[in-house]
Amino acid sequence: MPAKTETRSQTEALFEQEQQFIAPGVQTIALLSKLAIARGNGATLTDLDGRTYLDLNAGVSVASLGHAHPKYVAALTKQLEAVSVGSFTSAPRAELVRLIAELAPGELSRTQFFSGGAEAVEAGIRLARSFTKRTDIVGFTGGFHGKTAGVLPISDIDWKMLIGPLPSGYHIAPYADPTRFDGSPEECREAAIKNLRRVIEEEISGRPAAIVIEPIQGTAGNIVPPPGFLRDVREVAHEYGALLIADEMITGFGRTGKLFGCDHDNVVPDIITLGKGMASGFPVSALV
């Protein structure tokens, strides 16, 4: 009998075809799974061979509404049929900025839009520097704010030192991570605040422009700090004349049980950055 020939699935064939031309840097989950997706529906994805998967990745925490939600598809279609470039005022944009002002904590009411999270955080840093007339920025261990030059120094990525030199004026303080602290949550919080003050005083001579923080760290492993930590960080920032930037890319829009992560400590930051689930896959981020 003739030898049986192995036939590649449509999924495998398309994945291998793409690998000949796509540059490195694709998400690891895509390289490991080798999936080629034909369509999505709600919380599921179906590949080219008709196999359906529960999508626990959600576009790296982007697809808040799931895949192909009918109202989402209808809204995008309606807008694309009208105008797809937002250089001027339009009714949908005017309503969106009004809604953000209504939902945002405290008196935060002015919004700028960008395409990605790193852009929004960089804009927040520029705003803080402009307002305070200072330059130095403090972030935290375990933090992730993007991969562009303006935020890479405060993103805890092991390879960043291999592509230097990185911009100067950035400093890292230990995050209040209870999973890495041998003591009570309160002791963890106090130790982290003590270290934050040390970094500000010893490395910046007490003159930071901003402190950038994730209310809950996502990329580091969903690290929930002790209660009161964010409130303490805000007090330290204002004590030293700095602005508090809450990076809510991952925690915004209800993902933590409250609308924003900073709501858990009843904290109103000076600046909030938003993205990811904000537009459920469409590339929009914001600085508020």
Side-chain angles (χ1 to χ4, degrees):
M1 296 179 63
K4 184 178 180 179
T5 57
E6 291 289 335
T7 58
R8 292 182 301 167
S9 69
Q10 294 182 66
T11 290
E12 293 172 327
L14 186 59
F15 176 84
E16 291 176 10
Q17 174 185 321
E18 184 185 52
Q19 289 305 302
Q20 298 177 51
F21 303 102
I22 196 166
V26 177
Q27 292 287 336
T28 303
I29 190 172
L31 297 177
L32 292 175
S33 65
K34 299 183 179 182
L35 290 178
I37 300 302
R39 61 189 178 276
N41 181 32
T44 64
L45 292 171
T46 301
D47 70 11
L48 295 179
D49 300 299
R51 295 171 295 201
T52 298
Y53 304 85
L54 182 62
D55 181 16
L56 299 178
N57 189 48
V60 194
S61 305
V62 166
S64 292
L65 301 179
H67 300 284
H69 191 290
K71 290 186 177 181
Y72 180 74
V73 172
L76 282 182
T77 301
K78 181 180 179 181
Q79 186 61 52
L80 289 172
E81 289 175 344
V83 61
S84 59
V85 178
S87 300
F88 305 103
T89 298
S90 64
R93 191 174 76 179
E95 173 61 14
L96 178 56
V97 293
R98 186 203 64 78
L99 180 60
I100 292 175
E102 179 181 308
L103 296 175
E107 297 181 356
L108 298 177
S109 60
R110 296 282 186 168
T111 298
Q112 286 183 318
F113 293 116
F114 302 92
S115 300
E119 283 183 276
V121 179
E122 283 201 36
I125 290 172
R126 291 196 301 270
L127 178 57
R129 285 171 167 167
S130 175
F131 180 80
T132 63
K133 304 300 186 289
R134 300 174 179 178
T135 58
D136 288 76
I137 306 298
V138 180
F140 291 90
T141 56
F144 182 79
H145 307 283
K147 299 178 182 178
T148 59
V151 292
L152 195 55
I154 52 172
S155 293
D156 200 348
I157 303 172
D158 56 4
W159 49 259
K160 67 182 181 181
M161 303 308 297
L162 302 177
I163 61 168
L166 298 175
S168 60
Y170 293 84
H171 311 268
I172 301 292
Y175 194 77
D177 181 353
T179 68
R180 296 173 179 267
F181 186 83
D182 187 16
S184 69
E186 184 176 350
E187 290 171 329
C188 176
R189 175 176 59 83
E190 291 175 351
I193 293 300
K194 182 179 180 180
N195 278 313
L196 175 60
R197 290 181 180 278
R198 176 186 55 77
V199 169
I200 291 174
E201 292 176 1
E202 294 181 3
E203 297 184 18
I204 319 174
S205 300
R207 292 180 55 80
I211 298 177
V212 184
I213 188 170
E214 296 165 277
I216 295 174
Q217 289 189 334
T219 303
N222 296 328
I223 304 301
V224 181
F229 176 61
L230 190 62
R231 188 165 56 250
D232 289 348
V233 172
R234 180 190 59 184
E235 291 177 359
V236 170
H238 290 178
E239 175 186 337
Y240 286 98
L243 300 188
L244 177 64
I245 302 175
D247 185 349
E248 297 252 13
M249 295 295 160
I250 290 178
T251 53
F253 300 102
R255 285 203 169 130
T256 66
K258 292 183 180 291
L259 192 57
F260 298 104
C262 58
D263 291 338
H264 288 278
D265 261 0
N266 294 317
V267 166
V268 179
D270 299 295
I271 296 169
I272 284 181
T273 57
L274 303 170
K276 286 191 178 289
M278 176 181 179
S280 199
F282 197 84
V284 175
S285 62
L287 176 152
V288 187

